[in-house]
């Protein structure tokens, strides 16, 4: 029940129709008796810098969940950017720090990695390909690097985004072999679709599925369907995979800690969201 | 259940703790299966002009409920101000009009008058005193004038607000006898507290209760308690009265029409809010 004392978590992105977080956080708040609510706010890119500043001046603001297309833009608008978000060059969570400052972190990559590890896969020493170097792809790449992959290949048609990410990865992880410019998925232990391809019906597949070995583990970030056309195709090839919502649920415990809420497990959160 | 498609009604005011509207509208939306939510946003006066503009650029905004201290300031920020709001010099509801324009109206006075009439009182030809010429007092005065009172006395320590309201009333209602400058409640059929006095423990009473005749009908706008100290005092004198939340519930059917939602009666809304 929303009331005058309810703390507000602004869920900032555009468009909003596919937002999932309100249906995860709000049942958790209700179950724990926490007087807070996640509210979708469809903020367009042109308005984002001004709106972010003003929404954090509201007296009942608690924080913001940031999603497309604002994850990269957020970094430049904050007073403090946590290390993972700095390497990723993107933020998906913002809260108030001392003196009304804005503090941001990035949990997409952490959620992705937690999900892969929970499925028993080994990331230390692995060879990974991340297709898509926007906010979520950068976050996944940053967290894969931190998890100890030996080689990381990046592809994005937006060359400056791809090169910027490669540069930050090389600077922070000098032992990591970073390559750029090819989306060919042959020869990798892990390949990830971190593009929006699959959100719209009729989107092309993000990479050449015929070149993915059946032993390759496949990650997906798109959540328009549990099994996207890309995952359907890799399943037909015999690949094991992780769905987009695994990344989402696996990262929420880290978010809860960041926002100062009591802990919950991904399974518990899935259960509350489904009830 | 809030989701990505949910239409947002921003409840703008400061402070927010005493807000009642979320607990009225949100149960109504749930009961009717309307995918909309009222969300308190504690916007301070300095930020209000910018925030109002940006919140109406959100892709999922449906409207705004405006409360203290922004009702008067809102008028100058809109593209179209409906007649009642123009006389009141204050707005408590804003929605999008054609081409992204902002349209505002004021329903406090309408709610007040509907409540008084529902209690069987006659306003045509009556003599009324309104103490407090802020947003809500101005709205009540405007609606009392429209309801046909013969004489209207106004008092506010903020002389420019009082004189501005008197001027607008005289301009729009040339037959009405408007007087200003005294809060003495002797000799009126209706007296109204439209000041915030009574919101805080220890506030003085808004007028000299000993001078209110037992036959005078008394209106209150403060909702901090159902029976405020002022109402308690007039009850001891034997006066009939209207509580603050009557004005609130009586105006909501007008709000619903303004925002394009299906109708509901004040009784139905009270019932949903209490359940």
């Amino acid at each position: 029940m929303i009331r005058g004392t309810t703390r507000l978590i602004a869920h900032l992105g555009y468009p909003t129709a596919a937002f999932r977080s309100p249906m995860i956080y709000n049942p958790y708040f209700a179950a724990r008796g926490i007087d807070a609510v996640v509210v979708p706010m469809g903020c367009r890119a042109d308005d984002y810098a001004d709106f972010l500043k003003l929404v954090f001046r509201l007296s009942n603001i608690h924080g913001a969940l940031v999603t497309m297309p604002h994850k990269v833009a957020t970094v430049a608008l904050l007073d403090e950017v946590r290390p993972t978000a700095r390497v990723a060059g993107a933020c998906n969570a913002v809260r108030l720090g001392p003196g009304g400052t804005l503090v941001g972190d990035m949990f997409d990559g952490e959620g992705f990695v937690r999900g892969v590890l929970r499925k028993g896969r080994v990331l230390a020493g692995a060879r990974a390909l991340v297709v898509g170097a926007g906010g979520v792809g950068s976050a996944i790449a940053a967290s894969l690097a931190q998890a100890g992959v030996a080689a990381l290949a990046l592809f994005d048609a937006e060359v400056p985004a791809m090169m910027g990410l490669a540069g930050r990865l090389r600077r922070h992880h000098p032992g990591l072999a970073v390559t750029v410019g090819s989306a060919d998925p042959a020869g990798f232990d892990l390949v990830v679709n971190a593009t929006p391809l699959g959100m719209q019906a009729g989107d092309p597949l993000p990479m050449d599925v015929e070149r993915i070995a059946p032993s390759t583990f496949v990650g997906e970030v798109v959540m328009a369907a549990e099994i996207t056309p890309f995952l359907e195709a890799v399943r037909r090839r015999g690949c094991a995979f992780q769905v987009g919502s695994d990344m989402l649920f696996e990262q929420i415990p880290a978010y809860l800690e960041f926002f100062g809420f009591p802990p919950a497990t991904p399974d518990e959160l899935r259960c509350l969201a489904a009830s």
Side-chain angles (χ1 to χ4, degrees), chain A:
Chain A
M1 174 65 99
I2 298 174
R3 51 179 78 86
T5 54
T6 302
R7 308 289 298 168
L8 191 58
I9 297 185
H11 190 0
L12 303 172
Y14 177 77
T16 62
F19 281 12
R20 295 276 301 269
S21 295
M23 292 96 94
I24 301 170
Y25 285 85
N26 293 338
Y28 157 83
F29 291 143
R32 299 291 169 93
I34 297 168
D35 188 15
V37 65
V38 169
V39 178
M41 299 187 187
C43 185
R44 294 178 183 86
D46 284 353
D47 299 321
Y48 182 65
D50 291 337
F51 190 72
L52 182 75
K53 185 177 151 198
L54 285 169
V55 86
F56 269 98
R57 290 177 56 81
L58 296 178
S59 59
N60 60 329
I61 192 74
H62 189 91
L65 310 180
V66 178
T67 190
M68 288 191 292
H70 307 311
K71 290 180 187 187
V72 171
T74 300
V75 173
L77 304 172
L78 305 181
D79 301 294
E80 181 190 340
V81 179
R82 297 285 190 83
T84 308
R86 269 208 302 274
V87 181
C91 264
N92 72 350
V94 181
R95 65 168 170 74
L96 286 171
T101 54
L102 297 187
V103 180
D105 209 337
M106 181 46 150
F107 300 112
D108 281 335
E110 174 71 14
F112 184 89
V113 161
R114 286 187 191 192
V116 173
L117 295 175
R118 190 186 295 271
K119 289 170 186 70
R121 296 283 159 160
V122 175
L123 289 171
R127 297 171 51 79
L129 166 68
V130 178
V131 176
V136 61
S138 298
I140 290 171
S143 292
L144 287 174
Q146 202 171 347
V149 298
L152 198 42
L154 308 174
F155 180 77
D156 198 305
E158 289 281 332
V159 174
M162 177 175 69
M163 297 311 293
L165 174 60
R168 293 192 303 277
L169 285 166
R170 287 177 179 131
R171 210 154 48 242
H172 287 84
H173 301 277
L176 176 67
V178 178
T179 57
V180 297
S182 168
D184 180 356
F188 290 98
D189 303 303
L190 169 71
V191 301
V192 186
N193 173 39
T195 75
L197 292 173
M199 288 183 73
Q200 305 292 331
D203 279 347
L205 295 182
M207 61 189 82
D208 182 356
V209 172
E210 301 303 312
R211 308 249 317 145
I212 305 178
S215 60
T216 298
F217 186 86
V218 176
E220 169 67 285
V221 304
V222 171
M223 284 178 277
E226 187 78 353
I227 304 297
T228 59
F230 176 56
L231 289 181
E232 184 56 46
V234 303
R235 181 157 69 177
R236 277 197 300 268
R237 289 193 60 75
C239 300
F241 58 83
Q242 167 163 294
V243 302
S245 71
D246 282 346
M247 179 182 78
L248 180 63
F249 282 97
E250 289 283 353
Q251 76 182 275
I252 291 177
Y255 258 123
L256 295 179
E257 190 184 342
F258 178 75
F259 285 127
F261 294 122
T265 67
D267 282 353
E268 188 183 358
L269 292 161
R270 272 200 190 269
C271 195
L272 286 168
S275 66

